[in-house]
Amino acid sequence: MKDKTVDVLALAAHPDDVELCAGGTICTLAQQGYTTAVVDFTRGELGSRGTPEQRQEEAKAASHIMGLADRDNLKLPDGNIENTPATRRRLIERIRRYRPDIVLINAPECRHPDHCAASELAKDALYYSGLRKIETTNANGEVQEPWRPHHILHYMQAVPFEPTFVLDVSDVWAQRIEALQAFESQFYNPDYEPDPDEPETYISNPTFFKWVEARARTYGYRIGATYGEPLLYYQGPVGVRDLPQALSIERPFR
């Protein structure tokens, strides 16, 4: 595979992190004509429900629903995401393959240690990916050119933050929920029959979807939309050339 370019790359500790926390953002970008891809760090093998093989198939289904151009998995150990030269190199290879302008990464703070570890790994790899003296090759053995994205944003997970941006995802809400429910072994799906040894979890309970919707409605309300997804810009400030255009959406509350 030759290195290819996408507009936006989303990085995630587990398959389903993107669908749960930035699914509306990815669907909206695809609808707007931008190319998107996802790199999952682990196969989610420590999950209480389902198997890595199931998660892989679910990720394929969700990718199709969201309109991804590509999806990859680093196959790092679930529950032990380490920020080492070896793991950074594996991620750098993907960053240089996709050469995105914008990258979405895990939240800076979360109840799940993997999410915090993935955030740190992503930030370091995204920086080192721009250094010429770190040499990597693609699948064809060709030397990759250095690449560093222009913008990095955190998507919100369990711990709230004051967002830099809230993206209106109202038009793709049904599509975003369909992508999330493609992970039927993980999230509530009335068509999924768990094995007898699979316990109900916090996220497999149907009330969890009420929380997902409630948070999206809360942030949507703040920008005058039905549903919104919060994003935190990493290492601001954000540069603008046309201030009125950047502020073209009127505030609903003044």
Side-chain angles (χ1 to χ4, degrees):
M1 178 187 295
K2 286 187 175 293
D3 294 341
K4 54 185 173 182
T5 301
V6 299
D7 296 307
V8 181
L9 176 65
L11 306 178
H14 312 102
D16 73 22
D17 283 355
V18 170
E19 286 79 2
L20 175 58
C21 304
T25 300
I26 295 297
C27 290
T28 299
L29 291 167
Q31 186 183 75
Q32 293 170 338
Y34 297 103
T35 54
T36 58
V38 170
V39 174
D40 299 308
F41 291 0
T42 75
R43 298 183 301 152
E45 61 268 23
L46 293 185
S48 299
R49 293 160 61 97
T51 65
E53 292 74 23
Q54 281 179 282
R55 297 280 287 268
Q56 182 178 7
E57 292 304 312
E58 291 166 349
K60 287 181 181 178
S63 299
H64 177 73
I65 294 167
M66 294 190 298
L68 294 182
D70 199 18
R71 190 167 197 153
D72 198 0
N73 195 304
L74 296 182
K75 298 181 180 178
L76 301 180
D78 193 11
N80 190 29
I81 297 175
E82 296 184 328
N83 187 357
T84 67
T87 56
R88 287 196 296 270
R89 179 174 292 274
R90 290 169 68 176
L91 183 52
I92 288 169
E93 290 171 356
R94 272 58 172 194
I95 295 164
R96 290 176 175 178
R97 176 199 296 179
Y98 294 115
R99 305 175 72 80
D101 291 323
I102 299 171
V103 178
L104 308 178
I105 67 174
N106 284 96
E109 182 181 0
C110 190
R111 62 188 288 270
H112 196 316
D114 275 359
H115 298 160
C116 304
S119 179
E120 292 301 313
L121 171 58
K123 288 186 294 185
D124 287 358
L126 288 163
Y127 179 83
Y128 287 123
S129 182
L131 299 184
R132 293 188 173 277
K133 291 187 177 180
I134 296 179
E135 296 184 358
T136 58
T137 58
N138 63 17
N140 295 326
E142 300 165 335
V143 175
Q144 295 177 306
E145 289 295 318
W147 184 261
R148 190 176 292 149
H150 297 294
H151 306 284
I152 302 170
L153 299 102
H154 297 279
Y155 45 82
M156 187 181 291
Q157 298 192 268
V159 179
F161 50 66
E162 184 60 23
T164 313
F165 304 104
V166 175
L167 183 66
D168 183 351
V169 297
S170 307
D171 290 345
V172 299
W173 185 254
Q175 178 186 4
R176 175 246 200 281
I177 291 298
E178 182 184 2
L180 184 58
Q181 286 194 309
F183 285 91
E184 58 182 13
S185 68
Q186 303 303 305
F187 302 102
Y188 174 71
N189 188 316
D191 297 327
Y192 179 70
E193 296 184 6
D195 291 337
D197 62 342
E198 290 184 330
E200 182 176 80
T201 66
Y202 174 67
I203 62 174
S204 70
N205 190 296
T207 59
F208 181 73
F209 268 90
K210 294 181 180 179
W211 175 83
V212 171
E213 180 175 0
R215 185 163 78 174
R217 284 187 176 275
T218 297
Y219 284 99
Y221 179 79
R222 292 182 63 179
I223 63 168
T226 304
Y227 298 107
E229 282 186 351
L231 299 165
L232 178 65
Y233 194 86
Y234 174 62
Q235 290 189 330
V238 181
V240 298
R241 287 194 176 93
D242 187 333
L243 187 60
Q245 179 60 33
L247 301 175
S248 61
I249 298 178
E250 295 180 356
R251 290 181 61 87
F253 315 110
R254 299 192 294 276

